[in-house]
């Protein structure tokens, strides 16, 4: 594998670094540092400035608004992006439904949706999971029945991230029950303001409202909102799930968070010295750092294979498992580093209502919420057990 970047790549890296340093808003960086979800208006404004720069959708083909970067440049961009501490852009439009629309959508659908996704004018959510249909997604039951020029949708989705903000949902619905489950699913785009849709909040372990249940009662959706062919939705859904692999390992994000952990360990006291001088804690930091270095080497090896045109198989699953486990280990150590202040959970609204400021040092706020939310990293996007099944099927058979 070739680990050398060319002079042009290094110049590109410097350009990305300089842009992020100058343009990343301080309040967004501060929330991202603490692991708190960005406020909708802030992340939209940030995405709009990336769009203005032309960097919002590196993975999209140039004809639809992509950057035309090489695989190496995309890697460098993502790396610098997360090393700067910037929060991940909201994936539902840019990384998920956008690629499905430009690959399988009609010209009318492309014209209607792609521009607004790039400009962050529309907020999308993902309607896949249902009660009883998560890992076994093909068993989903939300039904769409054709009635004239519309589909009429009845059923329920769950764990729908940010549905409370969403203008649109891309949704998997059952359009045929008389066949293999995968062959009776369709992929449809739903305006969230359509009568008959109810969004109910689910408050997470982190006491934040990111998750929702979404109920559909006789929701009429124009048939022109169907993507591709009826009953072929499983193909489009699988295409979408495989589309995110260059950020899946979160190496740079974890490196950033590890550096923050070390900074905290240099400030916190243990016994008569500093935490960073405590041998046991140092050993645990070293362990996670070595794991992260190994993950980075693995990611670079896969990048090298990707550039050489080798088809990747189970590699995204390997990266997802290790990336999520390492991210969780760093968050756990951060909470432990904060000692008693790490135990405190302060929801955001509790904090804003207090007039005596946060408990403990400023950098402690958010650590417990982040730690708790990160438990989900080994669940969403396909659980670690399911990823292991994929590896077993593709490599160990
Ligand atoms: C924070 C968060 C955000 C999410 N956002 C969204 C969203 O925006 N849109 C959306 O559609 N969904 C979303 N999800 C849902 C997510 O995709 C599902 O939670 C996930 O697919 C697991 O499904 P489940 O919760 O039904 O668990 P189950 O599938 O019921 O799994 C329960 C346990 O059994 C294990 N298991 C299941 N099947 C197997 C098997 N065959 N072999 C071995 N072990 C197995 C699982 O690994 C898990 O440990 C989100 C979830 C979380 C936690």
């Amino acid at each position: 594998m070739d680990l050398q970047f060319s002079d042009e790549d290094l110049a590109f890296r410097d350009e990305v670094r300089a842009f992020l340093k100058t343009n990343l808003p301080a309040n967004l960086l501060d929330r991202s540092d603490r692991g708190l979800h960005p406020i909708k208006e802030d992340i939209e404004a940030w995405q709009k400035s990336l769009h203005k720069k032309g960097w919002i959708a590196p993975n999209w083909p140039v004809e639809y608004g992509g950057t035309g970067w090489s695989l190496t440049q995309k890697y460098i961009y993502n790396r610098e992006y997360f090393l700067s501490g910037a929060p991940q852009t909201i994936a539902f439009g840019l990384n998920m439904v956008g690629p499905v629309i430009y690959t399988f959508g009609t010209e009318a659908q492309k014209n209607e949706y792609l521009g607004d996704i790039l400009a962050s004018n529309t907020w999308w959510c993902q309607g896949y999971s249902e009660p009883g249909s998560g890992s076994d997604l093909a068993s989903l039951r939300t039904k769409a029945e054709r009635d004239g020029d519309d589909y009429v949708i009845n059923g329920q989705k769950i764990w729908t991230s940010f549905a409370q903000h969403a203008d649109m949902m891309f949704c998997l619905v059952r359009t045929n029950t008389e066949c293999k489950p995968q062959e009776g699913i369709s992929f449809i785009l739903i305006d969230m303001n359509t009568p008959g849709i109810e969004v109910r909040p689910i408050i997470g372990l982190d006491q934040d409202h990111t998750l929702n249940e979404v109920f559909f009662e006789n929701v009429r959706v124009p048939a022109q909102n169907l993507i591709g062919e009826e009953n072929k939705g499983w193909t489009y859904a699988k295409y979408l799930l495989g589309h995110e692999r260059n950020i899946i390992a979160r190496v740079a994000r974890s490196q950033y968070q590890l550096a923050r952990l070390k900074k905290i360990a240099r400030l916190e006291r243990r016994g008569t010295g500093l935490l960073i001088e405590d041998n046991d804690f140092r050993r645990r930091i070293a362990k996670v750092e070595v794991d992260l270095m190994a993950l980075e080497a693995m990611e670079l090896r896969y990048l090298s294979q990707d550039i050489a045109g080798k088809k990747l198989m189970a590699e995204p699953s390997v990266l997802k498992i290790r990336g999520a486990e390492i991210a969780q280990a760093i968050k756990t150590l951060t909470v432990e580093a904060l000692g008693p202040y790490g135990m405190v959970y302060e929801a955001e609204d509790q904090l804003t209502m207090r007039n005596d400021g946060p408990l403990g040092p400023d950098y402690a706020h958010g650590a417990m919420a982040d730690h708790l939310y990160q438990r989900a990293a080994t669940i969403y996007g396909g659980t670690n057990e399911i990823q292991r099944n994929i590896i077993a099927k593709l490599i160990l058979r």
Side-chain angles (χ1 to χ4, degrees):
M1 104 184 165
D2 181 5
L3 290 177
Q4 298 301 316
F5 290 127
S6 68
D7 288 346
E8 292 78 49
D9 288 337
L10 293 176
F12 172 73
R13 181 198 66 188
D14 293 344
E15 185 194 348
V16 173
R17 218 174 254 182
F19 173 82
L20 291 164
K21 194 155 189 253
T22 318
N23 292 283
L24 183 62
N27 61 336
L28 203 65
L29 179 59
D30 180 57
R31 287 185 72 85
S32 175
D33 257 5
R34 297 166 191 276
L36 300 171
H37 299 288
I39 292 161
K40 183 185 180 193
E41 290 71 27
D42 293 347
I43 191 78
E44 274 177 352
W46 170 234
Q47 292 187 179
K48 281 178 189 293
S49 60
L50 288 172
H51 177 235
K52 202 166 142 215
K53 179 75 180 158
W55 288 358
I56 190 66
N59 287 328
W60 288 30
V62 177
E63 60 190 295
Y64 296 119
T67 53
W69 290 337
S70 66
L71 284 174
T72 307
Q73 284 177 313
K74 286 181 199 169
Y75 171 81
I76 290 173
Y77 175 77
N78 280 316
R79 179 165 174 74
E80 292 303 320
Y81 185 90
F82 289 108
L83 281 180
S84 77
Q88 189 179 331
T89 51
I90 303 295
F92 300 113
L94 290 164
N95 296 352
M96 295 186 177
V97 76
V100 169
I101 293 174
Y102 66 64
T103 308
F104 303 105
T106 60
E107 284 310 309
Q109 288 168 341
K110 291 179 199 174
N111 291 335
E112 181 161 0
Y113 299 115
L114 293 181
D116 280 338
I117 292 174
L118 286 171
S120 297
N121 293 335
T122 37
W123 189 292
W124 287 78
C125 65
Q126 178 186 28
Y128 276 25
S129 306
E130 297 182 7
S133 302
S135 303
D136 181 18
L137 189 57
S139 68
L140 63 89
R141 282 170 303 172
T142 293
K143 199 193 269 184
E145 287 170 302
R146 189 72 189 248
D147 181 30
D149 290 337
D150 295 333
Y151 283 98
V152 179
I153 301 185
N154 283 285
Q156 185 200 341
K157 297 291 169 180
I158 195 167
W159 312 122
T160 323
S161 300
F162 301 120
Q164 76 273 28
H165 297 321
D167 308 295
M168 294 291 298
M169 170 189 277
F170 56 93
C171 190
L172 293 180
V173 288
R174 178 144 311 280
T175 36
N176 191 349
T177 49
E178 319 263 290
C179 53
K180 262 178 68 181
Q182 288 84 346
E183 289 165 9
I185 291 172
S186 297
F187 190 117
I188 198 161
L189 312 178
I190 303 175
D191 182 334
M192 291 295 282
N193 291 314
T194 317
I197 297 181
E198 189 191 347
V199 177
R200 289 188 205 158
I202 301 173
I203 301 303
L205 270 180
D206 60 350
Q207 295 291 301
D208 206 355
H209 175 198
T210 55
L211 298 168
N212 299 276
E213 293 178 287
V214 182
F215 295 86
F216 301 88
E217 200 183 330
N218 295 322
V219 176
R220 296 193 81 89
V221 179
Q224 68 203 28
N225 285 21
L226 188 77
I227 291 285
E229 287 177 54
E230 193 177 271
N231 297 323
K232 289 276 164 58
W234 192 247
T235 309
Y236 317 134
K238 279 198 304 189
Y239 170 85
L240 177 155
L241 290 173
H243 217 263
E244 271 197 287
R245 68 173 175 240
N246 55 4
I247 52 170
I248 211 165
R250 22 163 127 206
V251 170
R253 175 88 183 136
S254 285
Q255 285 171 338
Y256 183 87
Q257 292 290 337
L258 184 65
R260 184 169 184 269
L261 165 65
K262 286 183 183 172
K263 220 183 279 174
I264 291 173
R266 281 189 205 101
L267 292 166
E268 290 292 309
R269 301 200 70 81
R270 270 311 171 276
T272 53
L274 294 173
L275 179 60
I276 196 74
E277 292 155 358
D278 178 283
N279 278 342
D280 183 51
F281 204 77
R282 285 169 76 90
R283 185 187 54 74
R284 293 169 68 199
I285 288 184
K287 159 92 176 79
V288 87
E289 189 156 14
V290 169
D291 286 347
L292 191 51
M293 287 162 80
L295 182 65
E296 185 177 23
M298 185 156 50
E299 189 183 47
L300 282 167
R301 191 171 72 234
Y302 294 159
L303 174 70
S304 192
Q305 290 171 353
D306 208 1
I307 292 169
K310 181 174 177 281
K311 195 168 180 292
L312 299 183
M313 303 279 284
E315 288 84 351
S317 296
V318 178
L319 294 175
K320 161 105 201 320
I321 292 172
R322 290 305 288 143
E325 287 174 348
I326 290 169
Q328 287 179 341
I330 294 171
K331 308 292 166 157
T332 306
L333 281 172
T334 305
V335 165
E336 286 186 34
L338 291 164
Y341 294 122
M343 301 297 291
V344 180
Y345 178 75
E346 287 191 291
E348 292 230 84
D349 51 349
Q350 287 166 348
L351 185 72
T352 45
M353 279 159 62
R354 291 163 58 104
N355 58 11
D356 53 354
L359 289 173
D362 179 54
Y363 51 78
H365 174 62
M368 178 55 89
D370 190 20
H371 165 66
L372 294 175
Y373 184 76
Q374 286 302 324
R375 305 319 299 162
T378 43
I379 301 173
Y380 56 63
T383 69
N384 274 18
E385 291 76 19
I386 294 298
Q387 303 298 342
R388 287 194 174 93
N389 284 351
I390 293 171
I391 295 167
K393 273 193 207 143
L394 291 175
I395 302 181
L396 306 177
R397 69 204 143 100

